[in-house]
Amino acid sequence: QRELNTKERRQLEADRNSLTKHFIAELPELLSKFSTDEQKIVSLVEIPQYFHLEVYVEHRLNKFLELLLKYMHDIVGKHSDADVLRNCAFTYRYFINNELSIQTTAAVAFRQLIDELVSSFHSLITDGLESENEQGEFKLLVAMKRLYAFYQAHDITDLADIEKDVSAIITKANQQQINDDITATAVMLMQVILSWALYRTNPSEPSKAGLKKLRKSVVQLIQQCDELIQFGVAGVQKEAFITVCDMLIIFAPQLKQNPNYSSLIVVPDKSVQIRLRDYVMTTVFAEEEPPQFQDDEDEEAKTEVLIEKRRVLASFGKLIAFNIIEMRLAAPIFAQYVKSYQDYGDIVKQMMSKARELNRTKCMRTQLLSLEQLFEELRDQNEGRIDRSSEEWTKIKDLAHRFALMAGVDNYKSRQAVVTFHREGIIYCLLRNGPPDGSPPSNIVFFDILAETTFKLMDIDKKGPKGLLAFLEEQLMKEGEIPEDEIEWGPLRTYRTAGREYV
């Protein structure tokens, strides 16, 4: 993009000042006129974020500022749409975060609004949590949505002492049935409250008591969300899952870069990691009856469902990228790369790319585990047999080939990882439950899959007394005499031939 010259920048500033002056006078009336029109108001309340605020001072237009803040206050009280509330919150922030004289006027109006929102929230808690009081539930939900929108743009902790009440709502949701939307909003609200709490801590001299309290609250929220993931309804499960992922990233081991924050680090135990992975598998990749879509509105609904599933998968992917959960747990997700390529291939590919950056060998071990799981699943579906001409088998071989390609173009960098992949793959192929009995091992067909990846092996790693072919022969010696002319041992011959190419 071309950089503007001095004349063009001056013209741009002049145009911005002219537009600002125009909208300063006209916008309050527009807000009043369309205050209940959600589609129009969502854009109108965003316009002030592009004002040249100096115009208010230079032209003494404070009366229009007071009108704007008045109508913004009214709009917040009339709407519950997330986009409208978010735009209002960020417009307030734009007016407050400056050193002009108008900052005081905006700050006073903002404090008054937050006081009213907090007061409304506290007064509605009791009625709103009664399952038979639908009107009370709705009012409480709206109050929480408004607070959540403003918490996203501002640290209003000093004005809104709501942490205990929000935590109590989540606790109650795990004990008895309350409105699902209230529960989901409480989870999101608690996350942003704790995120601001971390932001407020003094990096050089944090309060030990404050850190202890914060960590206790974070651990409690993760435990509460873990229960909701297990026992909540779909909408609540999703927000609980995303909140756990975000909390684990915010309070990840990377915090130890500042030794003062070491006590805040939260590492999920193995059971939590498994539940997060299983939630992804059941929510994103579970096979279900495809809905019938008849018009554009239904197509939009389908797109929204896909977006939410991609959001869930991406949240889990960040846990892999930041090395927060054990990489091997992602094997079932890696296995979906080809099958779900159209909808999720880009996310799964990026996940594997980040895993490879962390540790190439671990990544290829995880990919090997993916192939083994797919192989065993297909064999179980076919009563212990594999049809090597089937489409399902071809897809697994294709996935193995793609995994090998992902190792990168620099074979030296991936050399150790590829060798480990093949060594452990050979051991898996020849695995037996008992001593050799003349019949091929039950995993012998897996050699076909390994053969798809031999092109990534370097010649030096194939031949020689310590090469892969020598390792294969060493493992085969445990089998005794092998009737290699028998068709059941065909995959072994395929792999051996592939491994000898170019040697």
Side-chain angles (χ1 to χ4, degrees):
Q1 185 177 356
R2 184 178 68 85
E3 186 176 346
L4 299 178
N5 59 37
T6 303
K7 182 179 179 180
E8 290 170 330
R9 285 198 298 271
R10 286 176 180 170
Q11 184 60 50
L12 186 64
E13 287 298 301
D15 291 343
R16 186 180 176 192
N17 283 337
S18 177
L19 286 169
T20 297
K21 189 174 180 181
H22 170 78
F23 275 107
I24 281 176
E26 299 296 330
L27 188 58
E29 184 178 345
L30 291 173
L31 293 179
S32 175
K33 181 178 180 180
F34 298 108
S35 63
T36 57
D37 189 331
E38 187 176 290
Q39 290 186 338
K40 290 186 175 65
I41 211 69
V42 69
S43 298
L44 289 173
V45 294
E46 187 181 9
I47 291 174
Q49 296 175 29
Y50 304 94
F51 280 2
H52 238 162
L53 297 181
E54 292 84 351
V55 174
Y56 277 109
V57 180
E58 293 170 359
H59 297 275
R60 299 182 180 181
L61 300 174
N62 273 27
K63 65 177 183 179
F64 291 110
L65 173 62
E66 292 172 359
L67 275 176
L68 176 69
L69 293 171
K70 175 182 180 298
Y71 291 130
M72 290 271 291
H73 180 284
D74 294 343
I75 288 166
V76 172
K78 291 177 180 177
H79 289 269
S80 60
D81 177 73
D83 292 330
V84 172
L85 295 173
R86 187 183 303 111
N87 284 348
C88 286
F90 279 95
T91 295
Y92 271 105
R93 187 173 78 171
Y94 182 64
F95 278 92
I96 292 171
N97 291 351
N98 67 82
E99 298 179 357
L100 301 172
S101 59
I102 64 170
Q103 189 271 347
T104 302
T105 303
V108 170
F110 178 73
R111 281 177 171 269
Q112 180 184 353
L113 173 62
I114 297 302
D115 286 344
E116 290 179 11
L117 295 180
V118 173
S119 176
S120 174
F121 169 72
H122 285 306
S123 66
L124 292 168
I125 287 180
T126 302
D127 289 342
L129 296 181
E130 293 179 4
S131 58
E132 297 179 357
N133 190 341
E134 293 185 5
Q135 185 176 8
E137 286 181 344
F138 176 76
K139 288 181 178 179
L140 176 61
L141 175 61
V142 170
M144 293 174 67
K145 284 184 175 181
R146 290 168 181 161
L147 284 170
Y148 176 65
F150 279 87
Y151 248 119
Q152 286 181 295
H154 310 259
D155 180 9
I156 57 175
T157 305
D158 293 337
L159 304 175
D161 183 18
I162 62 172
E163 180 180 337
K164 289 183 179 179
D165 289 325
V166 175
S167 181
I169 290 174
I170 302 173
T171 300
K172 189 169 184 177
N174 278 317
Q175 295 172 348
Q176 65 185 75
Q177 184 65 36
I178 65 173
N179 182 281
D180 297 330
D181 291 331
I182 289 177
T183 305
T185 306
V187 168
M188 295 187 295
L189 189 51
M190 196 65 190
Q191 177 194 336
V192 75
I193 289 172
L194 296 180
S195 299
W196 278 117
L198 175 62
Y199 180 80
R200 285 198 314 275
T201 59
N202 185 340
S204 55
E205 296 181 6
S207 162
K208 290 184 178 180
L211 292 180
K212 183 178 180 180
K213 177 179 179 295
L214 175 56
R215 190 182 193 284
K216 181 180 179 181
S217 297
V218 171
V219 171
Q220 182 183 28
L221 177 60
I222 291 175
Q223 290 174 343
Q224 290 172 327
C225 289
D226 184 36
E227 291 184 33
L228 290 173
I229 292 171
Q230 296 176 69
F231 308 113
V233 298
V236 174
Q237 283 181 322
K238 182 194 69 179
E239 292 304 336
F241 171 85
I242 291 173
T243 295
V244 170
C245 292
D246 288 345
M247 286 287 98
L248 291 176
I249 290 170
I250 294 171
F251 295 91
Q254 285 83 350
L255 277 179
K256 66 184 177 185
Q257 292 175 1
N258 182 343
N260 293 328
Y261 286 160
S262 296
S263 62
L264 289 178
I265 294 173
V266 178
V267 178
D269 60 37
K270 187 70 172 288
S271 61
V272 172
Q273 295 182 34
I274 292 173
R275 280 194 288 275
L276 292 174
R277 190 274 314 278
D278 289 347
Y279 177 77
V280 174
M281 293 303 299
T282 56
T283 302
V284 178
F285 298 112
E287 295 184 4
E288 53 188 28
E289 193 71 24
Q292 299 298 316
F293 295 100
Q294 299 175 349
D295 51 39
D296 292 341
E297 187 174 332
D298 285 340
E299 284 294 339
E300 287 182 13
K302 180 181 179 181
T303 301
E304 285 298 319
V305 170
L306 178 59
I307 289 172
E308 289 303 314
K309 288 185 176 182
R310 286 175 58 85
R311 183 182 171 210
V312 167
L313 181 59
S315 294
F316 184 84
K318 287 185 285 186
L319 298 181
I320 295 293
F322 284 91
N323 200 24
I324 293 171
I325 67 172
E326 188 178 336
M327 195 182 298
R328 284 177 62 85
L329 293 177
I333 295 174
F334 289 4
Q336 299 293 323
Y337 179 57
V338 171
K339 184 178 180 181
S340 303
Y341 186 83
Q342 182 175 348
D343 292 334
Y344 312 110
D346 57 330
I347 300 177
V348 178
K349 184 176 182 179
Q350 182 70 3
M351 198 185 303
M352 290 190 284
S353 175
K354 291 297 182 181
R356 187 171 65 252
E357 289 176 14
L358 290 172
N359 189 306
R360 289 175 182 270
T361 300
K362 278 188 177 181
C363 180
M364 291 209 72
R365 277 177 167 153
T366 304
Q367 290 173 329
L368 176 63
L369 180 59
S370 299
L371 297 169
E372 291 171 356
Q373 290 174 347
L374 287 174
F375 167 71
E376 292 174 7
E377 181 182 336
L378 181 60
R379 186 175 58 188
D380 291 343
Q381 289 174 355
N382 292 277
E383 299 179 350
R385 296 184 178 184
I386 295 289
D387 180 359
R388 295 165 66 192
S389 63
S390 67
E391 182 181 354
E392 292 81 3
W393 182 245
T394 302
K395 286 181 179 179
I396 298 177
K397 291 171 66 178
D398 179 43
L399 179 62
H401 189 80
R402 290 177 185 241
F403 281 168
L405 290 172
M406 287 179 192
V409 295
D410 190 339
N411 288 345
Y412 280 97
K413 285 185 178 179
S414 58
R415 178 182 174 186
Q416 184 58 50
V418 173
V419 170
T420 301
F421 178 92
H422 279 270
R423 281 178 170 264
E424 295 185 3
I426 289 170
I427 292 172
Y428 177 77
C429 290
L430 299 175
L431 194 64
R432 286 185 181 274
N433 293 325
D437 56 5
S439 63
S442 58
N443 297 339
I444 192 71
V445 186
F446 196 78
F447 272 121
D448 272 355
I449 296 173
L450 282 186
E452 293 292 325
T453 65
T454 53
F455 70 95
K456 292 301 293 183
L457 284 165
M458 299 181 68
D459 288 351
I460 193 173
D461 294 321
K462 295 179 183 179
K463 57 189 177 181
K466 294 185 179 180
L468 202 63
L469 291 174
F471 177 77
L472 173 61
E473 299 305 323
E474 178 185 330
Q475 296 300 312
L476 287 173
M477 288 178 63
K478 301 174 184 177
E479 290 290 325
E481 187 175 349
I482 298 175
E484 294 193 31
D485 57 331
E486 292 187 8
I487 192 170
E488 289 86 354
W489 291 90
L492 170 61
R493 294 193 296 272
T494 301
Y495 178 74
R496 186 183 275 156
T497 302
R500 285 172 176 164
E501 289 181 357
Y502 312 115
V503 176

